[in-house]
Amino acid sequence: MTNEGRVRPPLTARLRRSHWIALDCLAAVPTVLLLAGATWAADHRTAHVLTRLVLPVLLASLGAIPVALRRVRPLPAFFAILALYAILGPTGRADAVVFAFPTSYVLYMVAVTYRRRVSASALAAALLVETLLGFA
């Protein structure tokens, strides 16, 4: 008996939640590289001591955790990435464009899982933080 006449559902319909979480963890790898690399590039000329650079790079690397866990708890992951950006923003070590990637990636999951009012409030909070810290 063969499956020639049977049409299989698309791959996205066959993936389980654990598969999607694994894909989010895989997406966290370039996020860590992007955030840590951007923080290193912004500070490597001004920091003469390597120990001054370790903490900002470590904090920027923590931005990958909300990206990896965005399907488990989307709203707390979103606020965690905003809080991290608020911590790194005033120090001048975080670029608004660099933090826009993980923020928007996590914000998308908030938009598709929560009500419109919650999603709009999260978007307004993200725009407020990005505007305040990006132009400050």
Side-chain angles (χ1 to χ4, degrees):
M1 185 172 263
T2 62
N3 291 332
E4 291 177 20
R6 188 172 154 215
V7 177
R8 293 178 64 180
L11 178 63
T12 56
R14 289 182 278 152
L15 292 177
R16 294 187 306 253
R17 184 170 187 217
S18 60
H19 294 133
W20 286 109
I21 292 172
L23 287 173
D24 286 339
C25 291
L26 189 62
V29 173
T31 303
V32 125
L33 295 174
L34 178 75
L35 293 176
T39 306
W40 175 268
D43 271 359
H44 82 283
R45 292 191 178 125
T46 58
H48 300 291
V49 182
L50 186 62
T51 56
R52 284 185 174 177
L53 201 54
V54 171
L55 183 63
V57 170
L58 183 65
L59 282 175
S61 300
L62 288 177
I65 294 172
V67 170
L69 299 177
R70 74 185 186 115
R71 285 193 199 271
V72 180
R73 300 271 185 234
L75 202 57
F78 172 71
F79 285 119
I81 198 77
L82 276 187
L84 185 63
Y85 182 49
I87 290 170
L88 285 175
T91 63
R93 294 186 172 111
D95 189 16
V97 176
V98 173
F99 262 89
F101 162 67
T103 304
S104 61
Y105 192 68
V106 176
L107 181 62
Y108 173 76
M109 188 52 66
V110 171
V112 298
T113 56
Y114 286 93
R115 292 181 173 201
R116 190 174 294 180
R117 185 172 290 159
V118 174
S119 301
S121 300
L123 176 63
L127 289 175
L128 180 70
V129 169
E130 296 276 341
T131 303
L132 288 176
L133 297 176
F135 294 114

